[in-house]
């Protein structure tokens, strides 16, 4: 399984108007494409004003077919063009993750928040790092009670990986973070990852679902 994401950071402006535009794009995509797309916005994190359109697919050909349908639809193309007035000048970025350990419970319900921890494997440590990272994902779920998946980057920085945890509410997000911070054994397990990953580039971002 693959997780595709298209992110755009919008410039200063009316956040209600910008959000309504992003929702209209999402609705149009879901009318045209057979691939279900969700809309998220970054919160409590760097890059305020960033919107992310995400989709899960089994085959990359699904994304190719979806893109062809969208570009052939004039109403979708017009909507995208309208978004030019909201641009921050930072461009639009696509990313693709290959799910190595998809937590089966992550597919249940309609999560409203997600945390994404990105890191980059140090050269020569791929196999060890992936095995250890999966164990950390499983430990995170055991401690926090929240479904946590692990993926490797199919695009972006070579050796990039991501842990993805979903939450039904901001209260769950807060409690999960507090439970993990209070668990010494989890902290010790994460510390063991140190030699396997590059010391710089590890980030944690939070997203809230809009549509």
């Amino acid at each position: 399984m693959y997780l595709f994401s298209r992110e755009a950071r919008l410039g200063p402006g009316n956040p209600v108007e910008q959000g309504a535009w992003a929702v209209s794009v999402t609705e149009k995509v879901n009318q045209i494409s057979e691939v279900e797309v969700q809309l998220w916005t970054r919160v409590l994190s760097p890059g305020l004003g960033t919107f992310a359109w995400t989709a899960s697919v089994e085959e990359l050909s699904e994304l190719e077919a979806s893109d062809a349908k969208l570009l052939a639809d004039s109403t979708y193309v017009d909507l995208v063009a309208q978004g030019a007035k909201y641009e921050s000048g930072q461009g639009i970025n696509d990313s693709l993750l290959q799910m190595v350990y998809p937590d089966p419970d992550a597919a249940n319900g309609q999560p409203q928040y997600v945390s994404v921890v990105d890191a980059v494997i140090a050269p020569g440590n791929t196999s060890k790092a992936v095995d250890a990272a999966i164990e950390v994902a499983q430990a995170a779920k055991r401690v926090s009670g929240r479904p946590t998946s692990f993926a490797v980057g199919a695009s972006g920085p070579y050796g990039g990986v991501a842990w993805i945890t979903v939450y039904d509410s901001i209260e769950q997000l807060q409690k999960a973070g507090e439970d993990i911070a209070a668990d010494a054994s989890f902290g010790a397990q994460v510390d063991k990852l140190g030699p396997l990953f590059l010391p710089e580039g590890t980030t944690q971002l939070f997203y809230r679902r809009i549509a």
Side-chain angles (χ1 to χ4, degrees), residues 32-182:
I32 300 169
S33 172
E34 296 178 1
V35 175
E36 181 183 355
V37 172
Q38 297 180 347
L39 174 63
W40 302 78
T41 187
R42 213 177 276 185
V43 295
L44 308 173
S45 306
L48 188 65
T50 299
F51 288 93
W53 290 267
T54 66
S56 297
V57 297
E58 294 293 337
E59 305 291 340
L60 297 183
S61 58
E62 296 176 58
L63 295 175
E64 182 181 53
S66 174
D67 197 45
K69 285 185 177 180
L70 292 172
L71 293 178
D73 188 282
S74 60
T75 55
Y76 168 77
V77 174
D78 288 344
L79 266 176
V80 172
Q82 291 171 21
K85 63 182 178 181
Y86 303 125
E87 285 185 315
S88 64
Q90 298 186 18
I92 299 172
N93 295 306
D94 285 357
S95 66
L96 188 66
L97 294 171
Q98 185 173 12
M99 305 303 294
V100 175
Y101 175 71
D103 191 313
D105 292 331
N108 299 330
Q110 294 289 331
Q112 299 303 305
Y113 286 85
V114 62
S115 63
V116 181
V117 176
D118 292 310
V120 179
I121 299 173
N125 291 286
T126 300
S127 181
K128 291 181 180 179
V130 169
D131 289 343
I134 292 173
E135 292 177 358
V136 166
Q138 294 169 334
K141 181 180 181 180
R142 184 174 63 252
V143 174
S144 69
R146 301 310 307 158
T148 302
S149 301
F150 174 72
V152 298
S155 65
Y158 189 77
V161 302
W163 291 266
I164 304 166
T165 306
V166 296
Y167 313 89
D168 295 334
S169 66
I170 196 167
E171 289 82 9
Q172 283 188 353
L173 185 152
Q174 177 179 335
K175 185 177 186 304
E178 292 171 349
D179 289 345
I180 284 177

Side-chain angles (χ1 to χ4, degrees), residues 20-30 37 53 70 76 79-80:
W21 170 80
V23 169
S24 67
V25 171
T26 310
E27 292 173 344
K28 179 56 64 176
V29 170
N30 284 329
V37 172
W53 290 267
L70 292 172
Y76 168 77
L79 266 176
V80 172

